PDB file of all heavy atoms in Angstrom:
ATOM      1  N   SER A   1      61.905  31.936   3.203  1.00 48.00           N
ATOM      2  CA  SER A   1      61.311  31.533   1.934  1.00 48.00           C
ATOM      3  C   SER A   1      62.234  31.738   0.749  1.00 48.00           C
ATOM      4  O   SER A   1      62.165  30.994  -0.226  1.00 48.00           O
ATOM      5  CB  SER A   1      59.993  32.297   1.724  1.00 48.00           C
ATOM      6  OG  SER A   1      60.229  33.692   1.728  1.00 48.00           O
ATOM      7  N   THR A   2      63.076  32.780   0.790  1.00 59.00           N
ATOM      8  CA  THR A   2      63.923  33.077  -0.363  1.00 59.00           C
ATOM      9  C   THR A   2      65.355  32.615  -0.174  1.00 59.00           C
ATOM     10  O   THR A   2      66.199  32.866  -1.023  1.00 59.00           O
ATOM     11  CB  THR A   2      63.917  34.583  -0.645  1.00 59.00           C
ATOM     12  OG1 THR A   2      64.444  35.281   0.503  1.00 59.00           O
ATOM     13  CG2 THR A   2      62.513  35.084  -0.935  1.00 59.00           C
ATOM     14  N   GLN A   3      65.640  31.942   0.937  1.00 79.00           N
ATOM     15  CA  GLN A   3      67.001  31.538   1.238  1.00 79.00           C
ATOM     16  C   GLN A   3      67.255  30.090   0.838  1.00 79.00           C
ATOM     17  O   GLN A   3      66.378  29.235   0.938  1.00 79.00           O
ATOM     18  CB  GLN A   3      67.292  31.688   2.737  1.00 79.00           C
ATOM     19  CG  GLN A   3      67.306  33.134   3.230  1.00 79.00           C
ATOM     20  CD  GLN A   3      67.580  33.192   4.718  1.00 79.00           C
ATOM     21  OE1 GLN A   3      67.043  32.415   5.494  1.00 79.00           O
ATOM     22  NE2 GLN A   3      68.447  34.109   5.107  1.00 79.00           N
ATOM     23  N   GLN A   4      68.478  29.845   0.410  1.00 92.00           N
ATOM     24  CA  GLN A   4      68.926  28.472   0.234  1.00 92.00           C
ATOM     25  C   GLN A   4      69.316  27.912   1.593  1.00 92.00           C
ATOM     26  O   GLN A   4      69.855  28.632   2.435  1.00 92.00           O
ATOM     27  CB  GLN A   4      70.144  28.425  -0.712  1.00 92.00           C
ATOM     28  CG  GLN A   4      69.835  28.807  -2.140  1.00 92.00           C
ATOM     29  CD  GLN A   4      68.928  27.787  -2.808  1.00 92.00           C
ATOM     30  OE1 GLN A   4      69.080  26.588  -2.629  1.00 92.00           O
ATOM     31  NE2 GLN A   4      67.969  28.285  -3.581  1.00 92.00           N
ATOM     32  N   PRO A   5      69.041  26.633   1.859  1.00 96.00           N
ATOM     33  CA  PRO A   5      69.457  26.068   3.145  1.00 96.00           C
ATOM     34  C   PRO A   5      70.970  26.051   3.273  1.00 96.00           C
ATOM     35  O   PRO A   5      71.681  25.845   2.279  1.00 96.00           O
ATOM     36  CB  PRO A   5      68.883  24.647   3.117  1.00 96.00           C
ATOM     37  CG  PRO A   5      68.652  24.347   1.675  1.00 96.00           C
ATOM     38  CD  PRO A   5      68.350  25.639   1.011  1.00 96.00           C
ATOM     39  N   TYR A   6      71.452  26.280   4.490  1.00 96.00           N
ATOM     40  CA  TYR A   6      72.896  26.121   4.705  1.00 96.00           C
ATOM     41  C   TYR A   6      73.243  24.643   4.884  1.00 96.00           C
ATOM     42  O   TYR A   6      74.224  24.148   4.356  1.00 96.00           O
ATOM     43  CB  TYR A   6      73.378  26.921   5.921  1.00 96.00           C
ATOM     44  CG  TYR A   6      74.860  26.702   6.126  1.00 96.00           C
ATOM     45  CD1 TYR A   6      75.778  27.245   5.239  1.00 96.00           C
ATOM     46  CD2 TYR A   6      75.338  25.881   7.147  1.00 96.00           C
ATOM     47  CE1 TYR A   6      77.130  26.995   5.375  1.00 96.00           C
ATOM     48  CE2 TYR A   6      76.691  25.636   7.286  1.00 96.00           C
ATOM     49  CZ  TYR A   6      77.582  26.197   6.398  1.00 96.00           C
ATOM     50  OH  TYR A   6      78.927  25.933   6.514  1.00 96.00           O
ATOM     51  N   ILE A   7      72.405  23.923   5.646  1.00 97.00           N
ATOM     52  CA  ILE A   7      72.565  22.474   5.793  1.00 97.00           C
ATOM     53  C   ILE A   7      71.446  21.814   5.009  1.00 97.00           C
ATOM     54  O   ILE A   7      70.270  22.069   5.268  1.00 97.00           O
ATOM     55  CB  ILE A   7      72.511  22.048   7.271  1.00 97.00           C
ATOM     56  CG1 ILE A   7      73.623  22.719   8.084  1.00 97.00           C
ATOM     57  CG2 ILE A   7      72.603  20.518   7.402  1.00 97.00           C
ATOM     58  CD1 ILE A   7      73.497  22.503   9.581  1.00 97.00           C
ATOM     59  N   ASP A   8      71.797  20.989   4.042  1.00 97.00           N
ATOM     60  CA  ASP A   8      70.811  20.346   3.178  1.00 97.00           C
ATOM     61  C   ASP A   8      71.096  18.846   3.163  1.00 97.00           C
ATOM     62  O   ASP A   8      72.058  18.385   2.544  1.00 97.00           O
ATOM     63  CB  ASP A   8      70.904  20.932   1.765  1.00 97.00           C
ATOM     64  CG  ASP A   8      69.722  20.525   0.897  1.00 97.00           C
ATOM     65  OD1 ASP A   8      68.842  19.793   1.388  1.00 97.00           O
ATOM     66  OD2 ASP A   8      69.690  20.933  -0.285  1.00 97.00           O
ATOM     67  N   ILE A   9      70.262  18.088   3.871  1.00 98.00           N
ATOM     68  CA  ILE A   9      70.436  16.635   4.010  1.00 98.00           C
ATOM     69  C   ILE A   9      69.462  15.960   3.063  1.00 98.00           C
ATOM     70  O   ILE A   9      68.255  16.188   3.150  1.00 98.00           O
ATOM     71  CB  ILE A   9      70.176  16.212   5.468  1.00 98.00           C
ATOM     72  CG1 ILE A   9      71.130  16.947   6.414  1.00 98.00           C
ATOM     73  CG2 ILE A   9      70.291  14.701   5.634  1.00 98.00           C
ATOM     74  CD1 ILE A   9      70.724  16.868   7.871  1.00 98.00           C
ATOM     75  N   ARG A  10      69.973  15.126   2.165  1.00 98.00           N
ATOM     76  CA  ARG A  10      69.140  14.536   1.128  1.00 98.00           C
ATOM     77  C   ARG A  10      69.215  13.010   1.161  1.00 98.00           C
ATOM     78  O   ARG A  10      70.255  12.417   0.858  1.00 98.00           O
ATOM     79  CB  ARG A  10      69.583  15.033  -0.254  1.00 98.00           C
ATOM     80  CG  ARG A  10      69.593  16.551  -0.385  1.00 98.00           C
ATOM     81  CD  ARG A  10      70.049  16.977  -1.772  1.00 98.00           C
ATOM     82  NE  ARG A  10      70.170  18.425  -1.892  1.00 98.00           N
ATOM     83  CZ  ARG A  10      70.576  19.060  -2.997  1.00 98.00           C
ATOM     84  NH1 ARG A  10      70.908  18.352  -4.086  1.00 98.00           N
ATOM     85  NH2 ARG A  10      70.671  20.380  -3.016  1.00 98.00           N
ATOM     86  N   HIS A  11      68.155  12.384   1.616  1.00 98.00           N
ATOM     87  CA  HIS A  11      67.979  10.929   1.558  1.00 98.00           C
ATOM     88  C   HIS A  11      69.181  10.183   2.164  1.00 98.00           C
ATOM     89  O   HIS A  11      69.735   9.262   1.564  1.00 98.00           O
ATOM     90  CB  HIS A  11      67.760  10.488   0.111  1.00 98.00           C
ATOM     91  CG  HIS A  11      66.605  11.168  -0.546  1.00 98.00           C
ATOM     92  ND1 HIS A  11      65.296  10.923  -0.200  1.00 98.00           N
ATOM     93  CD2 HIS A  11      66.571  12.129  -1.518  1.00 98.00           C
ATOM     94  CE1 HIS A  11      64.497  11.666  -0.932  1.00 98.00           C
ATOM     95  NE2 HIS A  11      65.230  12.419  -1.736  1.00 98.00           N
ATOM     96  N   VAL A  12      69.551  10.575   3.361  1.00 98.00           N
ATOM     97  CA  VAL A  12      70.725  10.002   4.023  1.00 98.00           C
ATOM     98  C   VAL A  12      70.347   8.747   4.805  1.00 98.00           C
ATOM     99  O   VAL A  12      69.362   8.733   5.546  1.00 98.00           O
ATOM    100  CB  VAL A  12      71.378  11.047   4.949  1.00 98.00           C
ATOM    101  CG1 VAL A  12      72.353  10.381   5.925  1.00 98.00           C
ATOM    102  CG2 VAL A  12      72.109  12.094   4.118  1.00 98.00           C
ATOM    103  N   SER A  13      71.142   7.717   4.632  1.00 98.00           N
ATOM    104  CA  SER A  13      70.991   6.476   5.402  1.00 98.00           C
ATOM    105  C   SER A  13      72.329   6.097   6.007  1.00 98.00           C
ATOM    106  O   SER A  13      73.393   6.389   5.443  1.00 98.00           O
ATOM    107  CB  SER A  13      70.470   5.343   4.517  1.00 98.00           C
ATOM    108  OG  SER A  13      69.151   5.597   4.078  1.00 98.00           O
ATOM    109  N   LYS A  14      72.272   5.429   7.161  1.00 98.00           N
ATOM    110  CA  LYS A  14      73.472   5.006   7.864  1.00 98.00           C
ATOM    111  C   LYS A  14      73.161   3.768   8.688  1.00 98.00           C
ATOM    112  O   LYS A  14      72.168   3.722   9.418  1.00 98.00           O
ATOM    113  CB  LYS A  14      73.966   6.134   8.798  1.00 98.00           C
ATOM    114  CG  LYS A  14      75.071   5.746   9.744  1.00 98.00           C
ATOM    115  CD  LYS A  14      76.380   5.482   9.026  1.00 98.00           C
ATOM    116  CE  LYS A  14      77.494   5.108  10.013  1.00 98.00           C
ATOM    117  NZ  LYS A  14      78.761   4.802   9.323  1.00 98.00           N
ATOM    118  N   ARG A  15      74.017   2.766   8.558  1.00 97.00           N
ATOM    119  CA  ARG A  15      73.875   1.531   9.329  1.00 97.00           C
ATOM    120  C   ARG A  15      75.090   1.330  10.224  1.00 97.00           C
ATOM    121  O   ARG A  15      76.208   1.707   9.881  1.00 97.00           O
ATOM    122  CB  ARG A  15      73.748   0.307   8.405  1.00 97.00           C
ATOM    123  CG  ARG A  15      72.526   0.296   7.518  1.00 97.00           C
ATOM    124  CD  ARG A  15      72.453  -1.015   6.739  1.00 97.00           C
ATOM    125  NE  ARG A  15      72.139  -2.128   7.609  1.00 97.00           N
ATOM    126  CZ  ARG A  15      70.893  -2.549   7.874  1.00 97.00           C
ATOM    127  NH1 ARG A  15      69.859  -1.942   7.325  1.00 97.00           N
ATOM    128  NH2 ARG A  15      70.686  -3.568   8.661  1.00 97.00           N
ATOM    129  N   PHE A  16      74.845   0.725  11.376  1.00 96.00           N
ATOM    130  CA  PHE A  16      75.901   0.205  12.237  1.00 96.00           C
ATOM    131  C   PHE A  16      75.656  -1.291  12.353  1.00 96.00           C
ATOM    132  O   PHE A  16      74.800  -1.726  13.134  1.00 96.00           O
ATOM    133  CB  PHE A  16      75.879   0.867  13.611  1.00 96.00           C
ATOM    134  CG  PHE A  16      76.208   2.337  13.597  1.00 96.00           C
ATOM    135  CD1 PHE A  16      75.210   3.281  13.748  1.00 96.00           C
ATOM    136  CD2 PHE A  16      77.512   2.768  13.429  1.00 96.00           C
ATOM    137  CE1 PHE A  16      75.492   4.633  13.739  1.00 96.00           C
ATOM    138  CE2 PHE A  16      77.823   4.121  13.417  1.00 96.00           C
ATOM    139  CZ  PHE A  16      76.807   5.052  13.572  1.00 96.00           C
ATOM    140  N   GLY A  17      76.355  -2.090  11.544  1.00 95.00           N
ATOM    141  CA  GLY A  17      76.083  -3.517  11.518  1.00 95.00           C
ATOM    142  C   GLY A  17      74.672  -3.784  11.036  1.00 95.00           C
ATOM    143  O   GLY A  17      74.269  -3.336   9.962  1.00 95.00           O
ATOM    144  N   SER A  18      73.901  -4.457  11.866  1.00 95.00           N
ATOM    145  CA  SER A  18      72.521  -4.782  11.490  1.00 95.00           C
ATOM    146  C   SER A  18      71.527  -3.697  11.898  1.00 95.00           C
ATOM    147  O   SER A  18      70.331  -3.805  11.613  1.00 95.00           O
ATOM    148  CB  SER A  18      72.102  -6.106  12.144  1.00 95.00           C
ATOM    149  OG  SER A  18      72.170  -6.000  13.561  1.00 95.00           O
ATOM    150  N   THR A  19      72.016  -2.637  12.546  1.00 96.00           N
ATOM    151  CA  THR A  19      71.135  -1.569  13.031  1.00 96.00           C
ATOM    152  C   THR A  19      71.036  -0.448  12.009  1.00 96.00           C
ATOM    153  O   THR A  19      72.059   0.106  11.585  1.00 96.00           O
ATOM    154  CB  THR A  19      71.655  -0.988  14.357  1.00 96.00           C
ATOM    155  OG1 THR A  19      71.716  -2.031  15.335  1.00 96.00           O
ATOM    156  CG2 THR A  19      70.744   0.112  14.855  1.00 96.00           C
ATOM    157  N   GLN A  20      69.830  -0.131  11.602  1.00 97.00           N
ATOM    158  CA  GLN A  20      69.588   0.978  10.677  1.00 97.00           C
ATOM    159  C   GLN A  20      69.457   2.254  11.502  1.00 97.00           C
ATOM    160  O   GLN A  20      68.393   2.579  12.026  1.00 97.00           O
ATOM    161  CB  GLN A  20      68.323   0.740   9.862  1.00 97.00           C
ATOM    162  CG  GLN A  20      68.078   1.770   8.776  1.00 97.00           C
ATOM    163  CD  GLN A  20      68.955   1.556   7.551  1.00 97.00           C
ATOM    164  OE1 GLN A  20      69.045   0.446   7.030  1.00 97.00           O
ATOM    165  NE2 GLN A  20      69.613   2.611   7.110  1.00 97.00           N
ATOM    166  N   ALA A  21      70.571   2.988  11.639  1.00 98.00           N
ATOM    167  CA  ALA A  21      70.580   4.185  12.490  1.00 98.00           C
ATOM    168  C   ALA A  21      69.853   5.350  11.843  1.00 98.00           C
ATOM    169  O   ALA A  21      69.166   6.115  12.524  1.00 98.00           O
ATOM    170  CB  ALA A  21      72.020   4.582  12.819  1.00 98.00           C
ATOM    171  N   LEU A  22      70.010   5.515  10.523  1.00 98.00           N
ATOM    172  CA  LEU A  22      69.302   6.547   9.775  1.00 98.00           C
ATOM    173  C   LEU A  22      68.699   5.900   8.539  1.00 98.00           C
ATOM    174  O   LEU A  22      69.354   5.112   7.857  1.00 98.00           O
ATOM    175  CB  LEU A  22      70.247   7.677   9.349  1.00 98.00           C
ATOM    176  CG  LEU A  22      70.899   8.501  10.464  1.00 98.00           C
ATOM    177  CD1 LEU A  22      71.871   9.509   9.878  1.00 98.00           C
ATOM    178  CD2 LEU A  22      69.843   9.201  11.323  1.00 98.00           C
ATOM    179  N   ASN A  23      67.461   6.255   8.255  1.00 97.00           N
ATOM    180  CA  ASN A  23      66.738   5.615   7.152  1.00 97.00           C
ATOM    181  C   ASN A  23      66.105   6.675   6.257  1.00 97.00           C
ATOM    182  O   ASN A  23      65.045   7.210   6.564  1.00 97.00           O
ATOM    183  CB  ASN A  23      65.668   4.670   7.707  1.00 97.00           C
ATOM    184  CG  ASN A  23      64.968   3.888   6.622  1.00 97.00           C
ATOM    185  OD1 ASN A  23      65.410   3.838   5.476  1.00 97.00           O
ATOM    186  ND2 ASN A  23      63.852   3.260   6.972  1.00 97.00           N
ATOM    187  N   ASP A  24      66.812   7.031   5.176  1.00 98.00           N
ATOM    188  CA  ASP A  24      66.290   7.950   4.166  1.00 98.00           C
ATOM    189  C   ASP A  24      65.864   9.285   4.786  1.00 98.00           C
ATOM    190  O   ASP A  24      64.736   9.761   4.590  1.00 98.00           O
ATOM    191  CB  ASP A  24      65.105   7.315   3.432  1.00 98.00           C
ATOM    192  CG  ASP A  24      64.747   8.056   2.146  1.00 98.00           C
ATOM    193  OD1 ASP A  24      65.645   8.673   1.547  1.00 98.00           O
ATOM    194  OD2 ASP A  24      63.562   8.037   1.763  1.00 98.00           O
ATOM    195  N   VAL A  25      66.795   9.903   5.502  1.00 98.00           N
ATOM    196  CA  VAL A  25      66.509  11.163   6.196  1.00 98.00           C
ATOM    197  C   VAL A  25      66.800  12.343   5.277  1.00 98.00           C
ATOM    198  O   VAL A  25      67.889  12.435   4.688  1.00 98.00           O
ATOM    199  CB  VAL A  25      67.351  11.283   7.474  1.00 98.00           C
ATOM    200  CG1 VAL A  25      67.226  12.682   8.082  1.00 98.00           C
ATOM    201  CG2 VAL A  25      66.920  10.225   8.488  1.00 98.00           C
ATOM    202  N   SER A  26      65.845  13.241   5.150  1.00 98.00           N
ATOM    203  CA  SER A  26      66.031  14.507   4.432  1.00 98.00           C
ATOM    204  C   SER A  26      65.627  15.643   5.358  1.00 98.00           C
ATOM    205  O   SER A  26      64.617  15.566   6.069  1.00 98.00           O
ATOM    206  CB  SER A  26      65.191  14.544   3.155  1.00 98.00           C
ATOM    207  OG  SER A  26      65.640  13.585   2.215  1.00 98.00           O
ATOM    208  N   LEU A  27      66.433  16.712   5.343  1.00 98.00           N
ATOM    209  CA  LEU A  27      66.180  17.835   6.233  1.00 98.00           C
ATOM    210  C   LEU A  27      66.929  19.053   5.713  1.00 98.00           C
ATOM    211  O   LEU A  27      68.086  18.940   5.304  1.00 98.00           O
ATOM    212  CB  LEU A  27      66.654  17.507   7.660  1.00 98.00           C
ATOM    213  CG  LEU A  27      66.538  18.614   8.708  1.00 98.00           C
ATOM    214  CD1 LEU A  27      65.080  18.958   8.975  1.00 98.00           C
ATOM    215  CD2 LEU A  27      67.236  18.184  10.006  1.00 98.00           C
ATOM    216  N   ALA A  28      66.286  20.210   5.731  1.00 97.00           N
ATOM    217  CA  ALA A  28      66.913  21.468   5.332  1.00 97.00           C
ATOM    218  C   ALA A  28      66.938  22.414   6.518  1.00 97.00           C
ATOM    219  O   ALA A  28      65.938  22.583   7.219  1.00 97.00           O
ATOM    220  CB  ALA A  28      66.161  22.097   4.169  1.00 97.00           C
ATOM    221  N   VAL A  29      68.114  23.025   6.750  1.00 97.00           N
ATOM    222  CA  VAL A  29      68.285  24.006   7.823  1.00 97.00           C
ATOM    223  C   VAL A  29      68.779  25.294   7.179  1.00 97.00           C
ATOM    224  O   VAL A  29      69.858  25.323   6.582  1.00 97.00           O
ATOM    225  CB  VAL A  29      69.291  23.520   8.883  1.00 97.00           C
ATOM    226  CG1 VAL A  29      69.413  24.541  10.002  1.00 97.00           C
ATOM    227  CG2 VAL A  29      68.882  22.157   9.433  1.00 97.00           C
ATOM    228  N   HIS A  30      67.993  26.344   7.294  1.00 97.00           N
ATOM    229  CA  HIS A  30      68.315  27.606   6.634  1.00 97.00           C
ATOM    230  C   HIS A  30      69.169  28.497   7.527  1.00 97.00           C
ATOM    231  O   HIS A  30      69.189  28.337   8.756  1.00 97.00           O
ATOM    232  CB  HIS A  30      67.026  28.334   6.255  1.00 97.00           C
ATOM    233  CG  HIS A  30      66.221  27.620   5.219  1.00 97.00           C
ATOM    234  ND1 HIS A  30      65.401  26.561   5.523  1.00 97.00           N
ATOM    235  CD2 HIS A  30      66.129  27.800   3.885  1.00 97.00           C
ATOM    236  CE1 HIS A  30      64.812  26.124   4.416  1.00 97.00           C
ATOM    237  NE2 HIS A  30      65.244  26.860   3.412  1.00 97.00           N
ATOM    238  N   PRO A  31      69.896  29.452   6.941  1.00 96.00           N
ATOM    239  CA  PRO A  31      70.701  30.372   7.744  1.00 96.00           C
ATOM    240  C   PRO A  31      69.856  31.100   8.785  1.00 96.00           C
ATOM    241  O   PRO A  31      68.777  31.612   8.478  1.00 96.00           O
ATOM    242  CB  PRO A  31      71.254  31.351   6.696  1.00 96.00           C
ATOM    243  CG  PRO A  31      71.283  30.567   5.427  1.00 96.00           C
ATOM    244  CD  PRO A  31      70.072  29.677   5.482  1.00 96.00           C
ATOM    245  N   GLY A  32      70.331  31.105  10.018  1.00 96.00           N
ATOM    246  CA  GLY A  32      69.621  31.755  11.101  1.00 96.00           C
ATOM    247  C   GLY A  32      68.529  30.930  11.738  1.00 96.00           C
ATOM    248  O   GLY A  32      67.901  31.357  12.705  1.00 96.00           O
ATOM    249  N   GLU A  33      68.299  29.729  11.233  1.00 97.00           N
ATOM    250  CA  GLU A  33      67.228  28.871  11.745  1.00 97.00           C
ATOM    251  C   GLU A  33      67.733  28.008  12.894  1.00 97.00           C
ATOM    252  O   GLU A  33      68.880  27.555  12.900  1.00 97.00           O
ATOM    253  CB  GLU A  33      66.705  27.974  10.626  1.00 97.00           C
ATOM    254  CG  GLU A  33      65.443  27.206  10.982  1.00 97.00           C
ATOM    255  CD  GLU A  33      64.899  26.400   9.820  1.00 97.00           C
ATOM    256  OE1 GLU A  33      65.672  26.044   8.911  1.00 97.00           O
ATOM    257  OE2 GLU A  33      63.687  26.138   9.819  1.00 97.00           O
TER     258      GLU A  33
END
């Protein structure tokens, strides 16, 4: 609860040609998680 995430993914998108591999992905991973 009091920790900042070590990995902080904010609204990430990724395409390979016409394929939408990632679509507005957000995710937080905290230390030790």
Side-chain angles (χ1 to χ4, degrees):
S1 59
T2 61
Q3 293 179 317
Q4 293 293 320
Y6 179 71
I7 300 171
D8 192 0
I9 302 165
R10 304 179 185 179
H11 304 290
V12 164
S13 294
K14 171 69 179 178
R15 297 185 70 91
F16 294 104
S18 61
T19 300
Q20 186 77 49
L22 296 176
N23 185 13
D24 195 28
V25 171
S26 294
L27 177 66
V29 182
H30 294 80
E33 190 176 24

